[in-house]
C-alpha cells in the first residue's frame, strides 16, 4: 500500500488520532501556526479547547488525565508559550500524571541564533520530564508521537515534551501510522520477584498489628479492587495519602482516613505503633512521614512500587516488591492467609473519637458563628451523594476539602500534591469535565488560588464547562497565615488579601453565581449550584482565621499531632 505524502503538521494530527486522542488543550502562536492550520481540518475529530493561558492548558491536561486514565495533551507555541507550561510539566512529573506537551519551535536553521521566541525547551524540561525531544524532521513525527505516548502512560506515568520545529511542521513526509510498545533499556513493567512476594506474605501473615499505606499508585495501576480484596482477606486497616484518597471508598470499614501533616489522627498515630507497614504505590513524601528519624522505627516495612528508585529513597524498607501493584497485589492475595485483627482495628476507635470530639465536630457541625470551611465541604459532598469528583487548589482549601469530602468512586480526587501549585484548581477542573463528562466536578479554592488563573473563567464561559466552583473566601492566604500564627508570632506578613467582588467577575463571564454568608442559606445555595446546568460559582464567606487541624508541625513526629492551634 502506497504511503500518503503530507506535511509534518498533518502527520502530527493523524498521529494523535492514531493514539486515540479526542481532546486537547492549547493556545496558538507563530511557531506552531502550521500545526494549528492542520488542526483546522480535524475539528470534527479532535476537540481543541482554547484556554486563556498556557499554564491553564497544562493543568487542564492534568485534570483530564487524572480522571480519565488517558494521556492529557496540550499544544502551544514556542518561547513564552512553551515556558508557561513548565509549572504544569513539573507538577505532572512529581505527581506521576501522563501528559504530552507539544510546543512549537523556530526552524532548525535558526536554532542557536536567539531567534524570536526561541528557548532551549529540551534543556529546560529534561530534569522535569520522563522524556523531552526535539522533532527536527517531518519524517520523525510519527515515531516521536508514538514514543511520547508510550513513555507517558507506561510504567510510572509522567510528562513528555515534544519540541516541534517549524520546518518539521511544513516539510512533506510519506506518512505511516506507528504504535510503539518497546524501547530498549526502558522497562516499564518489571518482572516480579516471586520470592519477594512470598517473603512479604509470610511477614504479613505473622503480623499482629499490620497497617497499609495506600498511595496514588493504586489509582494509576487500576488496582482498586485488588487492594480491597487484599485488605479484606488479611483484615488489615489502611490509611491513604492525599492523592490516594479515592482508591478505596471513605465508608469502607478498613479505611481509617488520610495520612500526613493534616491527616486524621488515628492513621498517623498507628503508623508508629504497627509492627508491619505495607506501603502500596506511594513514595514516603515528607508531608506523610514527618521526621524520618522517628518514623515507623518499630515496624518491618514492605514497599510495593513500580519505580525502583523509590525503594530506600526516604525510608529504609525490609522487603521491596518491584512491579505493577495490580499484579503484585494479585500475587500477594494468592499467598496470604485469611486473618482477623479485631483487637488491633478496635484500637483505632479511641483516636477517631478524640479527633471527632476535639476537631471534626467543631469544624463540620458548628452551632454558632461564621461558616467554617469544613462544614461547607461536607455539605457539598453530601449534597452530591458523595459521588462527585473533587478538584482542589492549594492551601487550606485543599486540606479541608481533602479531609471532609467523601469518596465513593475511584479517580475522584484531583489535586496538586508534590508541587503544591496554587492556580491549579480551575484549569484542572476544566480538564476533568472533559475527561469524565458524566460526573459532577466540584472544585474548591481559596481567594488566593482562584486569582492565580482567574482568566480560565473565560475558557469555562466559552465551553460552558459544567465546573461547580466553591470559593472558600477568608480574605487571607490562609495556609501561610496559619503558619504565621503558629510559628511566627502572628506576624501576618503580606497574607491579608484585598479581594474583588467575585459576583461581578462571575457576571462578566456570564457564569451564574451566589454568595453565602449565613449558615441557614448554605443548603439552598448548594442545591442551586448542583441543579444549575453548566458552570456555577458559589462564594462561601468563611471565618477568616480558621485553622486546619490536626497538624503535625514541620519536622515533627507523626504520632504527636496538634489538635488545637
Amino acid at each position: 500500500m502506497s504511503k500518503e505524502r503530507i506535511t509534518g503538521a498533518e502527520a502530527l494530527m493523524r498521529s494523535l488520532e492514531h493514539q486515540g486522542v479526542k481532546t486537547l488543550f492549547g493556545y496558538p502562536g507563530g511557531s506552531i501556526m502550521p500545526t494549528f492550520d492542520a488542526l483546522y481540518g480535524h475539528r470534527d475529530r479532535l476537540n481543541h479547547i482554547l484556554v486563556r493561558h498556557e499554564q491553564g492548558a497544562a493543568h487542564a491536561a492534568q485534570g483530564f488525565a487524572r480522571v480519565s486514565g488517558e494521556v492529557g495533551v496540550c499544544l502551544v507555541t514556542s518561547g513564552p508559550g512553551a515556558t508557561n507550561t513548565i509549572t504544569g510539566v513539573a507538577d505532572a512529573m512529581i505527581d506521576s500524571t501522563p501528559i504530552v506537551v507539544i510546543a512549537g519551535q523556530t526552524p532548525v536553521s535558526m536554532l542557536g541564533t536567539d531567534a524570536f521566541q526561541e528557548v532551549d525547551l529540551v534543556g529546560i524540561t529534561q530534569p522535569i520530564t520522563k522524556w523531552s525531544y526535539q522533532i527536527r524532521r517531518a519524517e520523525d513525527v510519527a515515531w516521536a508521537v508514538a514514543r511520547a505516548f508510550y513513555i507517558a502512560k507506561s510504567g510510572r506515568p509522567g510528562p513528555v515534551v515534544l519540541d516541534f520545529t517549524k520546518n518539521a511542521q511544513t516539510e512533506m513526509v510519506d506518512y505511516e501510522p506507528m504504535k510503539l510498545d518497546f524501547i530498549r533499556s526502558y522497562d516499564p513493567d518489571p518482572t516480579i520477584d516471586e520470592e519477594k512476594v512470598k517473603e512479604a506474605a509470610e511477614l504479613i501473615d505473622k503480623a499482629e498489628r499490620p497497617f497499609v499505606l495506600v498511595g496514588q499508585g493504586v489509582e494509576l495501576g487500576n488496582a482498586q479492587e485488588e487492594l480491597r480484596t487484599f485488605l479484606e482477606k488479611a483484615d488489615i486497616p489502611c490509611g491513604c495519602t492525599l492523592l490516594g484518597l479515592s482508591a478505596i471508598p471513605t465508608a469502607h470499614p478498613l479505611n481509617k482516613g488520610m495520612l500526613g501533616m493534616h491527616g486524621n489522627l488515628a492513621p498517623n498515630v498507628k503508623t508508629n505503633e504497627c509492627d508491619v507497614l505495607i506501603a502500596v504505590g506511594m513514595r514516603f513524601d515528607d508531608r506523610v512521614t514527618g521526621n524520618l528519624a522517628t518514623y515507623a522505627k518499630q515496624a518491618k516495612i514492605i514497599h510495593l512500587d513500580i519505580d525502583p528508585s523509590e525503594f530506600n529513597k526516604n525510608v529504609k524498607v525490609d522487603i521491596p516488591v518491584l512491579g505493577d501493584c495490580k499484579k503484585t497485589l494479585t500475587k500477594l492475595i494468592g499467598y496470604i492467609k485469611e486473618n482477623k485483627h479485631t483487637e488491633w482495628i478496635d484500637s483505632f476507635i479511641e483516636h477517631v473519637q478524640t479527633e471527632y470530639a476535639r476537631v471534626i465536630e467543631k469544624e463540620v457541625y458548628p452551632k454558632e458563628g461564621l461558616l467554617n470551611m469544613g462544614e461547607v465541604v461536607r455539605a457539598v459532598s453530601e449534597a452530591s451523594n458523595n459521588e462527585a469528583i473533587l478538584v482542589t487548589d492549594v492551601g487550606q482549601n485543599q486540606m479541608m476539602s481533602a479531609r471532609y469530602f467523601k469518596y465513593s468512586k475511584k479517580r475522584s480526587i484531583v489535586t496538586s500534591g508534590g508541587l503544591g501549585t496554587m492556580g491549579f484548581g480551575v484549569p484542572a477542573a476544566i480538564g476533568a469535565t472533559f475527561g469524565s463528562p458524566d460526573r459532577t466536578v466540584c472544585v474548591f479554592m481559596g481567594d488566593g488560588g482562584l486569582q492565580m488563573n482567574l482568566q480560565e473563567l473565560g475558557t469555562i464561559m466559552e465551553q460552558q464547562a459544567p465546573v461547580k466552583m466553591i470559593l472558600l473566601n477568608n480574605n487571607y492566604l490562609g495556609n501561610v497565615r496559619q503558619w504565621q500564627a503558629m510559628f511566627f508570632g502572628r506576624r501576618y506578613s503580606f497574607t491579608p488579601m484585598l479581594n474583588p467582588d467575585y459576583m461581578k467577575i462571575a457576571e462578566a463571564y456570564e457564569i451564574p453565581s451566589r454568595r453565602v454568608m449565613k449558615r441557614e442559606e448554605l443548603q439552598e445555595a448548594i442545591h442551586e449550584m448542583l441543579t444549575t446546568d453548566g458552570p456555577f460559582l458559589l462564594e462561601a464567606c468563611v471565618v477568616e482565621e480558621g485553622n486546619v487541624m490536626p497538624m503535625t508541625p514541620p519536622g515533627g513526629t507523626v504520632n504527636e499531632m496538634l489538635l488545637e492551634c
Side-chain angles (χ1 to χ4, degrees):
M1 184 175 71
S2 62
K3 300 174 184 176
E4 188 176 358
R5 194 160 181 80
I6 57 176
T7 66
E10 176 66 21
L12 175 67
M13 295 299 104
R14 298 192 188 187
S15 296
L16 291 176
E17 290 178 1
H18 189 60
Q19 293 293 331
V21 174
K22 293 182 175 62
T23 303
L24 60 160
F25 307 87
Y27 203 95
S31 291
I32 199 66
M33 205 173 295
T35 295
F36 270 87
D37 186 62
L39 178 59
Y40 190 84
H42 291 256
R43 288 172 298 164
D44 59 334
R45 301 182 297 281
L46 289 172
N47 183 25
H48 176 268
I49 309 304
L50 177 66
V51 297
R52 299 309 189 256
H53 189 283
E54 292 89 354
Q55 183 183 352
H59 293 327
Q62 289 178 272
F64 177 93
R66 294 268 280 274
V67 301
S68 69
E70 303 297 326
V71 177
V73 181
C74 53
L75 184 64
V76 299
T77 195
S78 62
T83 57
N84 281 344
T85 68
I86 286 175
T87 296
V89 171
D91 196 292
M93 185 65 177
I94 199 165
D95 282 353
S96 304
T97 306
I99 65 171
V100 172
V101 175
I102 303 161
Q105 182 57 279
T106 58
V108 168
S109 61
M110 299 180 69
L111 290 174
T113 68
D114 290 332
F116 180 64
Q117 293 190 335
E118 178 195 356
V119 294
D120 180 6
L121 186 60
V122 171
I124 291 170
T125 58
Q126 274 184 335
I128 54 171
T129 55
K130 286 188 73 178
W131 186 51
S132 188
Y133 180 76
Q134 188 174 77
I135 303 174
R136 296 187 168 205
R137 306 179 303 171
E139 62 192 77
D140 294 333
V141 170
W143 170 84
V145 172
R147 186 180 177 100
F149 275 75
Y150 176 58
I151 291 173
K153 66 185 177 183
S154 60
R156 179 178 182 173
V160 169
V161 167
L162 295 178
D163 195 32
F164 198 9
T165 60
K166 199 166 187 179
N167 62 285
Q169 297 173 52
T170 57
E171 289 170 1
M172 304 300 290
V173 62
D174 293 327
Y175 173 73
E176 185 176 7
M178 183 180 296
K179 281 281 180 97
L180 198 68
D181 59 7
F182 173 77
I183 298 174
R184 190 176 62 182
S185 78
Y186 173 58
D187 185 15
D189 189 14
T191 302
I192 297 169
D193 185 337
E194 205 82 19
E195 291 306 310
K196 291 292 184 187
V197 178
K198 290 179 181 177
E199 284 180 44
E202 288 177 13
L203 194 56
I204 292 167
D205 284 343
K206 293 176 183 176
E208 295 180 0
R209 302 182 307 281
F211 188 48
V212 173
L213 310 181
V214 178
Q216 190 195 195
V218 174
E219 298 266 57
L220 297 173
N222 295 310
Q224 298 90 348
E225 289 305 315
E226 289 78 8
L227 172 71
R228 188 185 304 203
T229 301
F230 169 70
L231 294 173
E232 290 173 353
K233 183 176 181 180
D235 197 34
I236 303 178
C238 72
C240 300
T241 67
L242 175 63
L243 297 183
L245 281 171
S246 63
I248 181 170
T250 306
H252 194 288
L254 292 173
N255 184 356
K256 302 305 176 183
M258 186 168 80
L259 301 160
M261 178 177 280
H262 288 296
N264 294 110
L265 179 63
N268 281 291
V269 168
K270 293 302 177 180
T271 295
N272 275 13
E273 292 182 9
C274 67
D275 58 359
V276 174
L277 192 66
I278 306 119
V280 185
M282 55 87 72
R283 58 187 180 85
F284 290 108
D285 176 74
D286 62 284
R287 289 296 174 99
V288 166
T289 65
N291 187 350
L292 287 171
T294 59
Y295 182 76
K297 292 302 179 182
Q298 80 293 338
K300 294 287 186 181
I301 299 178
I302 300 166
H303 192 179
L304 280 62
D305 210 284
I306 199 166
D307 184 353
S309 72
E310 291 299 339
F311 295 142
N312 301 309
K313 185 178 79 175
N314 295 325
V315 173
K316 188 178 186 309
V317 301
D318 297 279
I319 305 176
V321 181
L322 180 64
D324 180 337
C325 65
K326 190 177 183 71
K327 297 178 180 178
T328 53
L329 282 172
T330 298
K331 287 184 176 293
L332 262 180
I333 291 165
Y335 284 119
I336 60 172
K337 299 173 183 175
E338 287 194 21
N339 213 328
K340 282 292 176 187
H341 297 100
T342 305
E343 185 176 346
W344 164 238
I345 293 171
D346 286 347
S347 72
F348 284 71
I349 295 173
E350 174 190 355
H351 302 291
V352 171
Q353 292 174 339
T354 297
E355 183 182 356
Y356 183 85
R358 295 182 61 184
V359 178
I360 297 174
E361 187 174 27
K362 298 173 184 177
E363 179 65 37
V364 178
Y365 306 109
K367 294 180 173 60
E368 57 185 7
L370 297 174
L371 285 168
N372 286 339
M373 288 182 276
E375 71 174 306
V376 177
V377 173
R378 180 60 60 85
V380 172
S381 180
E382 291 177 350
S384 63
N385 201 31
N386 301 322
E387 293 181 346
I389 291 171
L390 169 68
V391 184
T392 87
D393 208 272
V394 167
Q396 287 185 317
N397 65 90
Q398 177 186 35
M399 294 296 99
M400 285 291 194
S401 55
R403 280 179 55 84
Y404 296 115
F405 213 76
K406 293 186 177 181
Y407 313 92
S408 60
K409 296 184 176 182
K410 63 184 181 181
R411 292 188 177 271
S412 290
I413 182 167
V414 180
T415 189
S416 173
L419 200 63
T421 304
M422 287 181 68
F424 176 88
V426 169
I430 294 170
T433 64
F434 286 97
S436 189
D438 58 331
R439 296 184 64 188
T440 299
V441 175
C442 296
V443 55
F444 287 83
M445 53 213 168
D447 39 312
L450 170 58
Q451 293 184 77
M452 282 200 170
N453 272 313
L454 186 68
Q455 76 285 339
E456 295 310 324
L457 294 180
T459 308
I460 291 175
M461 174 182 67
E462 181 173 355
Q463 300 295 330
Q464 281 300 291
V467 180
K468 308 303 181 183
M469 295 171 279
I470 302 95
L471 170 60
L472 301 175
N473 189 355
N474 58 10
N475 296 305
Y476 275 101
L477 297 176
N479 207 47
V480 183
R481 184 213 54 76
Q482 179 172 336
W483 283 46
Q484 289 172 337
M486 296 178 71
F487 311 119
F488 293 89
R490 304 184 77 86
R491 292 186 296 277
Y492 293 165
S493 180
F494 299 97
T495 48
M497 296 280 286
L498 178 61
N499 281 311
D501 187 331
Y502 293 107
M503 298 297 97
K504 290 181 179 178
I505 290 174
E507 182 182 2
Y509 283 104
E510 300 178 359
I511 295 172
S513 64
R514 183 166 174 176
R515 177 182 290 127
V516 175
M517 302 183 73
K518 296 180 180 179
R519 185 162 292 111
E520 305 79 54
E521 301 171 346
L522 182 60
Q523 292 295 342
E524 181 190 341
I526 291 171
H527 177 76
E528 181 183 351
M529 175 182 71
L530 294 177
T531 56
T532 297
D533 290 336
F536 194 98
L537 174 63
L538 174 62
E539 179 184 6
C541 298
V542 297
V543 60
E544 290 195 345
E545 295 192 35
N547 294 313
V548 187
M549 304 303 284
M551 181 180 185
T552 300
T557 298
V558 291
N559 60 322
E560 296 177 356
M561 301 188 81
L562 302 176
L563 296 178
E564 296 167 349
C565 179

